[in-house]
Amino acid sequence: MAITPVASIDHQLRVAMLCRAVFPLHGFGGIERHVFHLVTHLSDLGVKLDLWTQTIPHDVPTAGEAYARLCQNPLIELHETRYDRTSPWLRPNSIIGRQFNYPIFTWQQASAVAKTAQQGQIDIVHTQGLCALGWGLVRQQQPSLRRIPQLANPHGMEEYKNVDWRKQLAYAPFRAQYSWSHRQADCAIATDACTADDLPNLLGVDPTRVAVLPSAIDVAEALGQVDEQLGNELVQRLQLADHDLVFLTVSRLERNKGYHLLLAALAELRDLLPASWRLLMVGTGKEQAALEQQAQSLGLAQHVSLLGRLSDRELHSLYEHVDLFIHPTLYEGSSLVTLEAMIHRLPVVATAAGGIPDKVISGHNGLLVPANNQRALVNALRLALDLREYWPQWGAAGAAIVRRSFDWPVVARQTLATYRELLQSRSLRGGFQ
């Protein structure tokens, strides 16, 4: 069946967004939030979206601003495809479970999208993560679908960056699927300029088909989460007023986040730190017990507090009452927590991993250090302490960077411009090969 051509790129754009999960229906992770903000901000620009995702759980709360903004939006139509086909025998998102679930899910999702596309009701297909696999397979089976431009966002590509040989082996099927499927797309997205070469180097994507569209945060939403009363309660509960210096770090408590190096670095600097200092660690993970034991053995237990997971309101309120944000990760995707810290005017000490060098500029809004280098981290923290008078200036500079380049309204406009460029290219070339 031939696809009905779109008469003009000036009409209301119709985008099929393919993902496995979206906030607040399926979770609170980075990709889930990315999809939520992308589709809602595109709808603010007048784009009509068909959002294809996995089955929505029956117990999802239907109250709240986020649910209304997504599910009661007249420009967003939700479509569901069953994802979990392994329970109760396997956890659906275990490595083995995903190897069963993803190929079936993405194929069925893409097949359903293709029916809509064949009726001329889609201008652009935008895939998130491994959802590119199903669409790539369906486009091979139905070559006429290549007339519809596809953007594909592989996100952080942690499957390529994990240094544990066991995970490297386990992730081999995912790497093969990621690489093949993103080479089929008309445009593959790098979420940071400094990581754009990862797509050709790791996935084999043609460099001429790479576009930089940053991951972002919603500045208004982030700052709107700040609750002064809640912040004061946290200050009292955590006794922050009794400390001269408060560090904060936010992430999963995993080995690759580099927290073992941070604790060792702070132990080396104990003579330079004020008598009353505190490190707040927000997050959960399998390294929690090891980190608690390390803090104890280094004599830092009274200075280190592992807070577990905080709600958005708690976290954004807490950002307002700390002095320095530290992110010692060994490898990273785009790092949204760094953006969150920056919009709250915090100076940042972080490793030059993933997309962080696009956000943290040494001497301008913080300090960058090589990843997995304890000596460099010690030196950077020492320098930051020496330059503490500049922290307010660094914080203001960081907030300006976020507003200029990493706020969702800005990135949504860039995404829309990329859609139109792809459609214009199709119009001039008479379709993609």
Side-chain angles (χ1 to χ4, degrees):
M1 180 186 298
I3 299 176
T4 304
V6 177
S8 168
I9 62 171
D10 294 325
H11 76 299
Q12 183 181 38
L13 285 182
R14 299 163 297 185
V15 176
M17 190 72 62
L18 280 60
C19 66
R20 185 183 65 84
V22 58
F23 170 82
L25 305 179
H26 305 108
F28 300 84
I31 295 181
E32 289 89 340
R33 290 179 183 272
H34 177 98
V35 176
F36 168 80
H37 285 117
L38 176 59
V39 297
T40 54
H41 282 280
L42 284 173
S43 74
D44 290 343
L45 297 174
V47 177
K48 186 179 186 307
L49 295 118
D50 286 284
L51 177 58
W52 299 78
T53 187
Q54 68 174 300
T55 306
I56 300 171
H58 296 299
D59 58 351
V60 169
T62 58
E65 183 178 347
Y67 182 90
R69 185 155 161 70
L70 181 73
C71 299
Q72 298 170 9
N73 190 322
L75 291 180
I76 300 174
E77 184 173 350
L78 282 163
H79 307 267
E80 303 174 57
T81 303
R82 179 183 173 188
Y83 169 74
D84 181 10
R85 296 177 182 274
T86 55
S87 297
W89 302 280
L90 284 171
R91 288 186 296 111
N93 289 319
S94 65
I95 291 176
I96 297 176
R98 282 188 287 165
Q99 290 183 27
F100 281 100
N101 287 326
Y102 253 113
I104 299 172
F105 167 74
T106 63
W107 170 261
Q108 292 195 336
Q109 182 186 69
S111 297
V113 175
K115 293 179 181 178
T116 303
Q118 293 286 14
Q119 298 170 6
Q121 298 179 20
I122 294 174
D123 299 317
I124 296 278
V125 171
H126 191 152
T127 59
Q128 304 291 336
L130 202 49
C131 288
L133 175 63
W135 188 248
L137 292 169
V138 167
R139 286 217 302 182
Q140 275 208 337
Q141 186 188 62
Q142 303 179 48
S144 62
L145 292 172
R146 289 191 172 273
R147 291 186 56 83
I148 301 175
Q150 177 200 358
L151 279 79
N153 188 340
H155 291 277
M157 297 183 288
E158 290 192 1
E159 292 84 356
Y160 294 81
K161 301 175 183 178
N162 198 297
V163 296
D164 186 323
W165 69 268
R166 292 162 297 186
K167 287 191 175 181
Q168 281 282 343
L169 183 62
Y171 286 147
F174 295 113
R175 290 196 299 274
Q177 293 166 10
Y178 259 102
S179 297
W180 179 85
S181 60
H182 285 83
R183 289 196 298 268
Q184 311 312 305
D186 303 296
C187 179
I189 296 172
T191 53
D192 293 281
C194 64
T195 61
D197 288 343
D198 285 352
L199 276 73
N201 294 339
L202 300 179
L203 280 68
V205 173
D206 183 342
T208 64
R209 294 192 175 195
V210 175
V212 177
L213 292 172
S215 288
I217 63 170
D218 188 318
V219 169
E221 177 185 274
L223 297 180
Q225 295 280 355
V226 176
D227 183 320
E228 183 177 355
Q229 180 178 346
L230 179 58
N232 291 334
E233 291 173 359
L234 287 167
V235 167
Q236 184 175 2
R237 172 156 59 93
L238 299 173
Q239 300 178 327
L240 299 186
D242 299 334
H243 294 81
D244 300 318
L245 182 61
V246 180
F247 303 126
L248 174 67
T249 189
V250 180
S251 194
R252 298 188 311 275
L253 302 184
E254 305 287 349
R255 189 75 174 177
N256 64 284
K257 294 304 180 181
Y259 289 144
H260 58 294
L261 300 179
L262 175 57
L263 293 180
L266 290 172
E268 286 194 48
L269 293 169
R270 73 178 82 227
D271 293 338
L272 295 179
L273 294 168
S276 180
W277 64 273
R278 191 87 166 275
L279 169 65
L280 304 177
M281 304 178 72
V282 175
T284 60
K286 61 184 179 182
E287 284 290 298
Q288 179 168 341
L291 292 170
E292 290 173 339
Q293 183 176 1
Q294 183 184 8
Q296 184 71 39
S297 64
L298 291 172
L300 302 180
Q302 76 234 28
H303 298 286
V304 177
S305 298
L306 282 74
L307 305 183
R309 186 183 180 278
L310 298 183
S311 69
D312 287 345
R313 288 177 62 247
E314 289 173 322
L315 178 58
H316 285 284
S317 299
L318 181 61
Y319 278 126
E320 296 286 313
H321 294 279
V322 301
D323 300 301
L324 179 71
F325 185 79
I326 308 174
H327 197 43
T329 183
L330 306 187
Y331 59 85
E332 189 77 353
S334 193
S335 191
L336 298 183
V337 292
T338 300
L339 293 177
E340 289 180 351
M342 288 165 58
I343 200 57
H344 287 281
R345 307 173 309 282
L346 288 178
V348 177
V349 173
T351 51
I356 296 176
D358 276 1
K359 303 168 180 64
V360 180
I361 303 169
S362 284
H364 181 65
N365 66 312
L367 296 171
L368 274 182
V369 301
N372 201 20
N373 188 323
Q374 181 180 324
R375 178 54 44 203
L377 184 58
V378 169
N379 292 337
L381 290 171
R382 180 184 290 115
L383 179 58
L385 292 170
D386 290 341
L387 299 176
R388 189 171 179 180
E389 63 185 289
Y390 292 99
W391 288 7
Q393 180 179 324
W394 288 359
I401 290 172
V402 178
R403 291 182 182 277
R404 181 173 62 248
S405 302
F406 299 101
D407 191 8
W408 263 117
V410 175
V411 175
R413 289 194 295 271
Q414 293 174 350
T415 303
L416 180 56
T418 302
Y419 290 164
R420 295 196 177 280
E421 288 173 10
L422 284 170
L423 287 168
Q424 182 66 38
S425 178
R426 183 195 67 176
S427 176
L428 292 174
R429 291 162 46 191
F432 292 93
Q433 303 301 319

